[in-house]
């Protein structure tokens, strides 16, 4: 049927905008979600279903002497209690889903096997007729622990005690990204400024905790899994590898998923255990986590300490940036080097950095493992670069905005190549007018008004959002008997609004109404292959697949209709009004999609189906600027957000309503991390604030007046449709912008704030340290 790009010639030119793309359309799933028609994992209640509860370690590091499950097994309603010794060959480490040759892997087992390495690690699992009985049974399991010294500080405990017997130290990997002369170039700078920068450990907390339901069909020897996951194909692949099965025996479906943010994108111990117990009992098995379990068992993130330096000329031009950082990786390595490598690669951001040397050490500790969380290393990189620029400006006596003007990449320099090697996931930048974006955000900030009792300051931060444009994603168009068109994708929405976004793209490419299309996602039975939704990739990857498949589908419809209309396929044209096809010049000889579907079904012919995959080779780059005005109460250290302006170049925008929601949502998350969020640990590795009573997340009353500047959107050259990512840009700059604003309020150059969150206690300590009050 020809190549998609060839067939796009008939009214499907690159960046063509029709009646749907660019329109603010409401999410399709909202009526279902608002009226209780949704179905999450917790809503599954199947005949004969059993439920799981986990016995979790109360210690960060300990040897397991014995596990006594006799009392639990005697409890009425308990079906089984398993410890590691009961898993046989499956007791070993879970499969390594993201191997990296630079890293010494240390994968978690389904159940702790001899040693526990963080508070919350599963030690035993109780299966019962209800969750209530399972929890009661878990309370009856007696575990005898021998406490061991905990590794809590990755800087001072890198060498001992060693957490894994196959490793010589707790250093799991080192990443190094170098451009130009690296750190040797610092000697060429007129001024060198150094800062130690800290980002706290945070918890993602999607609204819906993790969960899974596993059903085994013994007759067919197949497994059906419903899981709150961001990647059904990845979960299927990992389960198959763990079980030693072929993937075609496993179907994974994601029902409604209440948020993901990157942390629902791996095989967790609970997933493996639910599947194993379903196979063993022949009954459906469900596990639905609770909020405490989100604190002690789900991937966490940030938790980096940077020793960073910037060298500049007297005119404020960047000469070199050098950064040595430590990533506290927690107890295991299941996410490989995604977070630290992304941090290292993304530090230059939208600036000219001729010489760069970044070394990141990944150290294992007795904490919940690190994994990608919205931004996945990019917020850390933005924080480092923007804080260094502020420090350099202060050292030069230069305005903080002016130093950015002198170093932003100019439009004439695009496509700019930052010099990062392809092996480190570096690639040339997309076109963009970075200076104009920054100036637009600054111009949109409302005029300052008096704030009695507060010291007012303004800060800004620029960023470059690199979308995950590599790999592939597909679209499977099928003409249904009703005449509607079903489009299946391997993507997996967790609230992003894919149902309307992908329908808008298809509608434009086929010249049809968005109401013609039904979008099906997150089901391994619906399309041949897929990757999933993370890294701001769905519109870029699945959106291009939908766009490229549209002319192929149109051609397939014309071929199927040619016999019925007794015409050559080239004499048929797409009739958007019906929708359907008609003989060119003879509009009376036409066939609607519904009529065609009915005839194909009547004649026993297969339906019209087209499956197409878009392959990406490089990421898309979206630049933006955040400007914030804060008020600081000098006596209490309380920081109040007053005004917030965002400018973001999102490339070709499919749905501005959803784009705004994604940007605002990411910004809100990062403002929480700037001001409140930090998971605190004792010297023994105990997390001390594992509820929302102690772990603060932002509320509606904490946020300022916010505005999104609709600046010119410059299409990406990394993909035919010109899409750029938007889901993670909002989370990248707020932390640096807020600290900059607070410093300005208290006296830039006099007060240094180098750690987040910037709590009232830290504000007061900085003021006292500077001799202020």
């Amino acid at each position: 049927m020809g190549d998609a790009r060839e067939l796009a010639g008939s009214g499907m030119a690159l960046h063509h905008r029709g009646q749907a793309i660019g329109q603010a359309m409401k999410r399709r799933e909202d009526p279902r979600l608002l009226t209780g028609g949704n179905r999450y994992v917790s809503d599954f209640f199947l005949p004969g279903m059993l439920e799981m509860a986990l016995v979790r370690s109360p210690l960060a590091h300990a040897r397991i002497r014995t596990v006594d499950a006799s009392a639990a097994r005697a409890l009425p309603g308990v079906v089984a209690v398993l410890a590691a010794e009961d898993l046989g060959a499956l007791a070993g480490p879970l499969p390594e889903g993201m191997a990296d040759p630079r890293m010494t892997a240390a994968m978690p087992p389904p159940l702790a096997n001899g040693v526990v390495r963080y508070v919350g690690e599963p030690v035993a699992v109780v299966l019962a007729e209800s969750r209530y009985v399972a929890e009661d049974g878990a309370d009856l399991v007696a575990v005898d622990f021998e406490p061991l010294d905990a590794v809590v500080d990755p800087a001072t405990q890198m060498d001992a005690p060693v957490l894994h017997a196959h490793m010589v130290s707790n250093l799991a990997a080192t990443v190094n990204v170098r451009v130009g002369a690296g750190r040797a170039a610092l000697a060429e700078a007129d001024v060198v400024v150094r800062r130690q920068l800290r980002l706290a450990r945070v918890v993602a907390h999607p609204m819906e905790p993790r969960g899974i339901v596993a059903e085994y069909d013994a007759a067919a020897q197949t497994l059906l899994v419903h899981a709150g996951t961001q990647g059904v194909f990845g979960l299927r692949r990992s389960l198959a590898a763990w079980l030693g099965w072929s993937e075609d025996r496993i179907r994974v479906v994601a029902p409604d998923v209440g948020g993901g943010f990157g942390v629902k994108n791996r095989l967790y111990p609970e997933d493996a255990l639910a599947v194993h117990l379903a196979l063993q009992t022949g009954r459906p098995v469900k596990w639905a986590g609770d909020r405490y379990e989100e604190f002690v068992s789900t991937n966490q993130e940030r938790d980096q300490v940077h020793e960073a330096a910037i060298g500049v000329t007297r005119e404020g031009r960047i000469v070199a940036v050098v950064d040595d950082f430590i990533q506290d990786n927690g107890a295991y390595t299941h996410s490989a080097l995604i977070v630290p490598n992304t941090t290292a690669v993304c530090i230059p951001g939208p600036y000219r950095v001729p010489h760069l040397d970044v070394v990141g050490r990944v150290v294992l500790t007795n904490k919940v493992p690190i994994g990608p969380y919205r931004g996945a290393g990019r917020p850390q990189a933005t924080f480092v670069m923007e804080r260094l620029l502020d420090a350099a400006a202060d050292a030069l006596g230069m305005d903080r905005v002016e130093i950015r003007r002198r170093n932003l990449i100019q439009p004439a320099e695009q496509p700019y190549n930052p010099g990062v090697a392809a092996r480190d996931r570096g690639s040339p930048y997309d076109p963009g007018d970075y200076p104009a974006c920054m100036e637009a955000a600054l111009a949109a900030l409302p005029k300052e008004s008096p704030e009695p009792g507060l010291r007012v300051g303004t800060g800004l931060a620029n960023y470059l959002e690199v979308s995950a444009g590599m790999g592939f994603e597909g679209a499977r168009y099928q003409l249904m008997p009703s005449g509607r068109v079903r489009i299946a994708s391997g993507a997996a929405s967790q609230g992003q609004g894919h149902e309307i976004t992908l329908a808008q793209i298809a509608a434009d490419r086929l010249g049809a109404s968005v109401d013609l299309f039904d979008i099906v996602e997150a089901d391994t039975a619906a399309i041949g292959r897929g990757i999933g939704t993370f890294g701001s990739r769905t519109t870029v990857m699945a959106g291009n697949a939908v766009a490229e498949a549209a002319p192929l589908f149109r051609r397939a419809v014309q071929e199927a209709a040619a016999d019925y209309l007794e015409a050559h396929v080239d004499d048929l044209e797409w009739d958007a009004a019906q929708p359907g096809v008609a003989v060119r010049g003879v509009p009376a000889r036409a066939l609607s999609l519904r009529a065609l579907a009915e005839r194909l079904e009547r004649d026993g012919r297969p339906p019209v189906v087209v499956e197409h995959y878009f392959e990406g080779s490089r990421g898309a780059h979206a630049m933006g600027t955040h400007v914030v005005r804060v008020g600081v109460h000098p006596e209490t250290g309380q920081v109040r957000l007053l005004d917030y302006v965002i400018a973001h170049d999102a490339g070709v925008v499919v749905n501005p309503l959803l784009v705004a929601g994604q940007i605002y949502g990411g910004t809100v998350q990062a403002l929480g991390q700037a001001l409140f969020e930090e998971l605190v640990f004792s010297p023994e590795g105990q997390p001390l604030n594992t509820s929302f009573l102690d772990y603060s997340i932002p509320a509606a009353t904490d946020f300022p007046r916010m505005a999104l500047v609709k600046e010119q959107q410059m299409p990406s050259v990394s993909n035919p449709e010109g899409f750029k990512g938007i889901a993670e840009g909002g989370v990248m700059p707020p932390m640096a912008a807020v600290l900059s604003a607070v410093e300005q309020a208290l006296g830039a150059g006099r007060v240094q704030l180098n750690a987040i969150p910037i709590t009232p206690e830290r504000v007061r300590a900085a003021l006292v340290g500077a001799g202020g009050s």
Side-chain angles (χ1 to χ4, degrees), residues 556-614:
V557 168
Q558 291 169 334
E559 290 174 346
D563 288 345
Y564 294 114
L565 294 174
E566 298 178 342
H568 190 277
V569 65
D570 291 336
D571 293 327
L572 299 181
E573 61 184 5
W574 185 259
D575 183 355
Q578 292 198 65
V581 293
V583 177
R584 186 176 291 107
V586 190
R589 290 177 60 190
L591 201 59
S592 69
L593 291 180
R594 179 170 184 175
L596 174 60
E598 291 172 347
R599 293 193 186 189
L600 291 172
E601 186 175 40
R602 180 198 64 192
D603 296 342
R605 297 173 62 180
V608 178
V609 175
V610 166
E611 190 166 321
H612 173 78
Y613 291 87
F614 171 74

Side-chain angles (χ1 to χ4, degrees), residues 378-392:
R378 286 163 283 181
Q380 296 92 310
T382 302
F383 183 76
V384 170
M385 191 69 211
E386 295 297 316
R387 293 275 67 213
L388 287 177
L389 282 170
D390 283 347

Side-chain angles (χ1 to χ4, degrees), residues 641 668 671-672 676-677 696-704:
L641 302 172
V668 165
L671 288 173
F676 312 123
E677 295 186 47
S696 296
I697 60 173
T701 54
D702 295 314
F703 297 116

Side-chain angles (χ1 to χ4, degrees), residues 748-759:
R750 186 171 71 93
V751 173
Q752 290 185 11
L753 301 173
N754 298 317
I756 57 165
I758 182 61
T759 60

